Amino acid sequence: MNTVPKAADMAAYVFTPPTQATLSIAGTSELFPVHRVYCVGRNYAAHAVEMGHDPDKEPPFFFQKNPDNLISDAKEFPYPKASSDVHHEIELLVALKSGGEDISVEDALNHVYGYAVSLDMTRRDLQGQMKKMGRPWEIGKSFEMSGPSGPIVPASKIGHPDQGAIWLKINDELRQSGDLNQMIWKTAEMISILSTLFTLQPGDIIMTGTPAGVGPVERGDRMHGYVEGVGDLHLTVT
Ligand code: MN
């Protein structure tokens, strides 16, 4: 038996460690602990076209948000600093209960805990500047409150949604509209590809891309997101 204490047991932290980032789970008071947040770019053909790209020629690419950028059950989205062009991107969020490396497409969905409606809020002006300079997107994508999300609905209750409406209304006007079956890279394929690049872990999140119709929000706007079979998400921009 190993009686040597682990380093973490012996050393005090120099300050209180940050709180574990979590998402709520529908129908229970239990929390889902968030590890990493992977986001896929241009995963709906019509959105790739509206952003000026050819959807047929590109393999999937990924960027990350920070775990604490995801906020569960917020009623308000505070307009972020340093931008005057903040865009909405409605997305299906996938939450993993287990991980691994080199996960096969066939096995991939066995790693999914559940799904949520989420928004990949984007400082489009800053992202655009970074794109132009060939620099990373973090300042456009990974700011405070940039990933408001509804509660995770367990796959044990709803299965694995791969078709059905996904839309976003602003002040009751439809802005984004698509179908989950328009995703270029499917949930199982994204899990499999990510697992060739990273060691996936329980608590990892994948935000699966947005359909066409992205655009700016203004203070006072009421955002209403919806994913068929998963639920609704309501936020006011403040
Ligand atoms: Mn996105």
Side-chain angles (χ1 to χ4, degrees):
M1 188 173 132
N2 181 4
T3 56
V4 179
K6 290 178 188 165
D9 296 333
M10 297 179 66
Y13 294 106
V14 294
F15 52 84
T16 306
T19 309
Q20 169 68 50
T22 60
L23 289 173
S24 63
I25 299 171
T28 168
S29 58
E30 290 181 313
L31 296 171
F32 182 93
V34 176
H35 180 239
R36 292 181 186 165
V37 183
Y38 300 103
C39 305
V40 62
R42 296 173 206 139
N43 200 28
Y44 288 74
H47 173 61
V49 170
E50 77 177 348
M51 299 302 283
H53 299 275
D54 180 344
D56 294 329
K57 291 184 180 169
E58 295 187 356
F61 68 93
F62 302 95
F63 59 91
Q64 284 176 264
K65 285 184 186 281
N66 300 300
D68 64 345
N69 297 154
L70 298 193
I71 303 295
S72 241
D73 308 320
K75 298 279 175 278
E76 297 182 348
F77 169 73
Y79 201 94
K81 59 171 77 174
S83 176
S84 56
D85 191 25
V86 176
H87 280 205
H88 52 77
E89 297 191 358
I90 182 74
E91 311 209 353
L92 173 70
L93 178 152
V94 180
L96 300 187
K97 65 182 177 188
S98 57
E101 296 181 350
D102 302 324
I103 297 168
S104 69
V105 172
E106 294 70 30
D107 180 44
L109 294 182
N110 295 325
H111 296 272
V112 175
Y113 176 79
Y115 298 87
V117 184
S118 70
L119 283 161
D120 169 14
M121 298 304 293
T122 301
R123 293 192 285 212
R124 193 72 76 201
D125 42 5
L126 298 186
Q127 184 199 24
Q129 292 168 17
M130 292 303 102
K131 273 187 191 175
K132 239 180 250 171
M133 295 190 279
R135 291 180 180 171
W137 290 5
E138 269 73 12
I139 62 169
K141 288 289 194 178
S142 311
F143 55 91
E144 282 66 32
M145 306 282 287
S146 62
S149 299
I152 296 173
V153 186
S156 59
K157 298 222 169 77
I158 59 166
H160 299 280
D162 58 3
Q163 58 178 339
I166 175 170
W167 52 250
L168 182 85
K169 292 178 182 176
I170 304 284
N171 303 328
D172 301 319
E173 186 185 308
L174 191 63
R175 295 288 177 87
Q176 287 190 261
S177 181
D179 192 294
L180 297 177
N181 68 15
Q182 296 164 344
M183 286 201 289
I184 297 168
W185 298 94
K186 309 302 180 190
T187 299
E189 293 173 319
M190 283 185 276
I191 293 169
S192 179
I193 292 167
L194 276 168
S195 77
T196 69
L197 298 166
F198 304 100
T199 303
L200 295 180
Q201 296 202 32
D204 283 349
I205 297 290
I206 304 170
M207 295 175 70
T208 58
T210 197
V214 299
V217 296
E218 305 294 341
R219 288 175 183 82
D221 281 350
R222 288 175 290 107
M223 300 190 283
H224 176 192
Y226 174 79
V227 177
E228 193 173 334
V230 180
D232 295 271
L233 179 64
H234 292 274
L235 291 143
T236 300
V237 182
T238 58

